[in-house]
Amino acid sequence: MILDGVELRQLEYFVAVAEEQNFTRAAVRLHVVQSAVSAAVKTLERELGAPLLDRNSKRVRLTDAGAALLPRARIALDAARDARDAVAEVHGGLRGILRIGTMTSTRLLQLPALLGEFHRRHPGVLLHTSVAPHGSQGLIDALAERRLDLAFVSLPGPPPAEIHLTELACSVLDLVVPDDHPLATREAVTLADIAGLDFIDSPVGYGNRAVTDRAFAAAGLSRRVTIEIPDIATGADHVRHGLGIALLPRFAVTDDHGVRLLSVTGADLNWTASLATPVDRPVGAAARALISLTAEFLP
Amino acid sequence: MILDGVELRQLEYFVAVAEEQNFTRAAVRLHVVQSAVSAAVKTLERELGAPLLDRNSKRVRLTDAGAALLPRARIALDAARDARDAVAEVHGGLRGILRIGTMTSTRLLQLPALLGEFHRRHPGVLLHTSVAPHGSQGLIDALAERRLDLAFVSLPGPPPAEIHLTELACSVLDLVVPDDHPLATREAVTLADIAGLDFIDSPVGYGNRAVTDRAFAAAGLSRRVTIEIPDIATGADHVRHGLGIALLPRFAVTDDHGVRLLSVTGADLNWTASLATPVDRPVGAAARALISLTAEFLP
DNA sequence: GTCAAGTATCACCGATGGTGATCGTCACGA
DNA sequence: TCGTGACGATCACCATCGGTGATACTTGAC
């Protein structure tokens, strides 16, 4: 037994605890009871001859040994998944779990339709999608840290070196104003017309927010973002109730009574969605299958 | 359980069977009974949903799925060893198994002294040395296929792209003849003097054999190798008993009664020993420690 | 047809991994 | 200071697992 009893199950439990910083949440994620995780990590520490986690009833932290182990444990788990996927690919059926990060607003990409089709083609693959609490930048971080296999992001500007972006779709952001707003009678406006006004927008880190911030900065103008909303589908409602104006894609305005949509000229308000993949490691077979389907589905 | 019960132990058993092409030999290597290996591989096949080995009582072959799995299983096992070694490195004591390939004749490098010192410094590391049945080329193959972590080889000419060689030591091969041989009264000879004669040499694939073959080829000459011996320590004995002449390093001739050693001029008969390391993957902590000790020990 | 070597299956048994209960610890708020 | 809630570690229990040893079956070689 050249690995002294160390097994993938133990590495998986360790990684879950390290990521959750909590044994109980890790147990929920792993679908076992808390004491099973506690015992498995204790056995792993005995087998490796080093404490990996420094913990009490209030806090869980990595030790130096644990910090050394964590990225390598992820690599070992990814390698084992890749091995399993390679067998599935040869044997005619992909299996496993594909961890996908998505932006809050997936309608830019018709993601439900894409994932639905993927599921029909590969029923053995479980899709774990997670929405980005910290926007696309948070998804990029998770991808780099091997907590995600793929991510659908909106990231204006060049990506980090370890991430490859494939542009998938693009939508223009229009100005949405209440229909009694002084600008409501216009067909189009410029950024100068709306500089300094109160805006409703997504939080910093979201792709659409980055697009709007960049456009104002490029024009040498500023504005006030007085309300941040994580879901742009509620943007038109906020506008309707007079809480501010907003720059939104048309598809996010499903009920346009009480608001007007105006074009914005002379500014780059293109909101691009991309598929982010890692550069520094091969992607698994299921991820490759989804990448292929994405290329075929969203030309 | 995102890997559906697949564990490192199973991958390890599968790799052993694939390499040995025999369940019984794999069991010996793994220190378990044959039925344990048979059962573990069967379970792995069930968990992956594909037959991995096509076998009967006479023969074991990889299926396509097994061929897809094998290199990836090795990568996963290496990744897990690396994870374990990283913890050991941080925690102050290297552990694990270091698989080292060596040429049959290690005295060129004083390898026993080197490995003895390594063992004293890192008692937690088990050294598995294997001699090369197919010479240094076989060791290079084993290194590329992840069956070895490091190898001490003699490989004249450029190495393959995925292997890095660090030259460690060099010895000149001298001509050894019976003391009643017509050339025995000479101090030195050229290759032309000995072209066409019967030689004792190592098998093809051994480093020293490659050196001698290259020297004759470079001179546009040939010779007959009538006896191949895997251990050059027995070379002088063969010469003494009149079975042929040989090109050997001086250290391999411990008893020179009945033979003469002659220099060979005008030919490149330098037999170089090198440490071969993989280029395409990081080496583990124990391997890095041995590489460092080799640099310090054999300047 | 016989035989030796090897793989698969089986009965058995100690070890393992999970559950559920519970104890001890630790911030935190009253 | 004390009570509390949340959490990790330990324990008893138990179903399952993984290994052993025996053996049945298969398969080339002779």
Side-chain angles (χ1 to χ4, degrees), chain A residues 91-144:
Chain A
H91 197 62
L94 296 179
R95 295 170 67 248
I97 297 177
L98 190 56
R99 301 165 299 171
I100 305 167
T102 71
M103 304 170 298
T104 312
S105 179
T106 57
R107 281 192 57 203
L108 178 58
L109 293 169
Q110 305 172 64
L111 215 49
L114 173 71
L115 298 184
E117 180 58 21
F118 182 88
H119 181 66
R120 277 186 288 279
R121 294 190 189 191
H122 304 287
V125 178
L126 299 178
L127 298 173
H128 281 190
T129 59
S130 46
V131 170
H134 302 295
S136 293
Q137 188 54 55
L139 295 180
I140 295 296
D141 294 341
L143 196 57

Side-chain angles (χ1 to χ4, degrees), chain A residues 49-279:
Chain A
L52 302 170
L53 295 159
D54 176 15
R55 66 267 200 194
N56 61 24
S57 59
K58 291 299 180 194
R59 197 180 57 199
V60 175
R61 287 177 177 166
L62 287 169
T63 61
D64 288 343
L69 177 60
L70 183 57
R72 293 170 174 87
R74 288 193 179 115
I75 291 171
L77 290 167
D78 282 351
R81 284 185 200 104
D82 184 54
R84 178 207 58 205
D85 289 349
V87 171
E89 196 169 24
V90 165
H91 197 62
L94 296 179
R95 295 170 67 248
I97 297 177
L98 190 56
R99 301 165 299 171
I100 305 167
T102 71
M103 304 170 298
T104 312
S105 179
T106 57
R107 281 192 57 203
L108 178 58
L109 293 169
Q110 305 172 64
L111 215 49
L114 173 71
L115 298 184
E117 180 58 21
F118 182 88
H119 181 66
R120 277 186 288 279
R121 294 190 189 191
H122 304 287
V125 178
L126 299 178
L127 298 173
H128 281 190
T129 59
S130 46
V131 170
H134 302 295
S136 293
Q137 188 54 55
L139 295 180
I140 295 296
D141 294 341
L143 196 57
E145 288 161 20
R146 296 171 176 261
R147 293 187 276 108
L148 291 173
D149 299 308
L150 292 175
F152 293 92
V153 298
S154 177
L155 206 75
E162 68 272 18
I163 300 295
H164 175 71
L165 295 183
T166 304
E167 185 174 316
L168 300 176
C170 190
S171 183
V172 175
L173 303 181
D174 288 326
L175 182 68
V176 185
V177 299
D179 59 12
D180 60 358
H181 196 275
L183 294 171
T185 55
R186 309 264 294 266
E187 290 291 314
V189 296
T190 65
L191 288 187
D193 292 322
I194 55 178
L197 299 184
D198 286 356
F199 270 81
I200 298 154
D201 212 328
S202 299
V204 171
Y206 279 52
N208 53 309
R209 172 64 185 267
V211 168
T212 54
D213 281 348
R214 278 168 70 100
F216 275 95
L221 299 168
S222 65
R223 57 163 179 170
R224 289 157 41 91
V225 177
T226 47
I227 297 180
E228 288 185 344
I229 53 171
D231 184 359
I232 57 172
T234 62
D237 267 345
H238 284 77
V239 171
R240 195 171 2 260
H241 288 89
L243 294 160
I245 61 178
L247 289 159
L248 299 171
R250 281 182 184 268
F251 68 77
V253 184
T254 53
D255 174 8
D256 64 353
H257 97 277
V259 297
R260 301 293 298 273
L261 275 76
L262 314 176
S263 296
V264 180
T265 58
D268 180 7
L269 285 166
N270 289 301
W271 179 30
T272 301
S274 304
L275 176 59
T277 52
V279 162

Side-chain angles (χ1 to χ4, degrees), chain B:
Chain B
M1 230 57 81
I2 60 176
L3 280 154
D4 299 316
V6 173
E7 290 293 3
L8 293 169
R9 179 184 67 83
Q10 292 166 316
L11 296 180
E12 186 182 359
Y13 287 17
F14 164 72
V15 168
V17 174
E19 288 177 357
E20 301 288 343
Q21 296 191 316
N22 181 297
F23 280 70
T24 305
R25 286 205 301 269
V28 169
R29 168 167 147 179
L30 295 162
H31 306 300
V32 294
V33 299
Q34 173 269 326
S35 52
V37 179
S38 177
V41 170
K42 181 171 183 176
T43 301
L44 181 61
E45 286 175 321
R46 191 185 70 241
E47 284 162 352
L48 293 176
L52 302 171
L53 295 160
D54 176 15
R55 67 266 199 192
N56 60 24
S57 59
K58 290 298 178 193
R59 199 180 56 199
V60 175
R61 286 176 176 168
L62 287 170
T63 61
D64 288 342
L69 177 60
L70 182 58
R72 294 171 173 86
R74 288 191 179 118
I75 291 172
L77 291 166
D78 282 351
R81 284 184 201 106
D82 184 54
R84 178 206 58 205
D85 289 349
V87 171
E89 196 169 25
V90 165
H91 198 63
L94 295 180
R95 295 169 67 248
I97 296 178
L98 190 55
R99 301 165 300 171
I100 304 167
T102 70
M103 305 170 296
T104 312
S105 180
T106 57
R107 284 194 54 206
L108 177 59
L109 293 168
Q110 306 173 63
L111 214 48
L114 171 71
L115 298 183
E117 180 59 21
F118 182 89
H119 180 64
R120 278 186 288 279
R121 295 190 188 192
H122 304 288
V125 178
L126 299 178
L127 299 172
H128 282 189
T129 60
S130 47
V131 171
H134 302 297
S136 293
Q137 187 54 55
L139 295 180
I140 294 296
D141 294 342
L143 195 58
E145 288 161 21
R146 295 169 176 262
R147 294 187 276 106
L148 291 173
D149 300 307
L150 293 175
F152 293 93
V153 298
S154 176
L155 206 72
E162 68 272 18
I163 300 294
H164 175 70
L165 295 182
T166 304
E167 185 174 318
L168 300 176
C170 189
S171 183
V172 175
L173 303 181
D174 289 326
L175 182 67
V176 185
V177 299
D179 59 11
D180 61 357
H181 195 276
L183 294 171
T185 55
R186 308 265 295 266
E187 290 291 315
V189 295
T190 66
L191 287 186
D193 293 323
I194 55 179
L197 299 183
D198 287 354
F199 271 81
I200 297 156
D201 212 329
S202 298
V204 171
Y206 279 52
N208 54 310
R209 171 66 185 264
V211 168
T212 54
D213 281 347
R214 277 168 70 98
F216 275 93
L221 300 169
S222 66
R223 57 161 178 172
R224 289 158 39 92
V225 177
T226 48
I227 298 182
E228 287 185 346
I229 54 170
D231 184 359
I232 56 173
T234 62
D237 267 344
H238 284 77
V239 170
R240 195 172 2 260
H241 288 89
L243 293 159
I245 62 179
L247 289 159
L248 299 171
R250 282 182 183 270
F251 69 76
V253 183
T254 53
D255 173 9
D256 64 353
H257 98 275
V259 296
R260 302 294 300 274
L261 275 78
L262 315 176
S263 295
V264 181
T265 58
D268 180 7
L269 285 166
N270 289 302
W271 179 29
T272 301
S274 305
L275 175 59
T277 52
V279 162
D280 61 345
R281 65 185 189 269
V283 297
R288 287 198 299 276
L290 182 56
I291 292 169
S292 295
L293 184 62
T294 303
E296 155 188 346
F297 212 74
L298 307 168

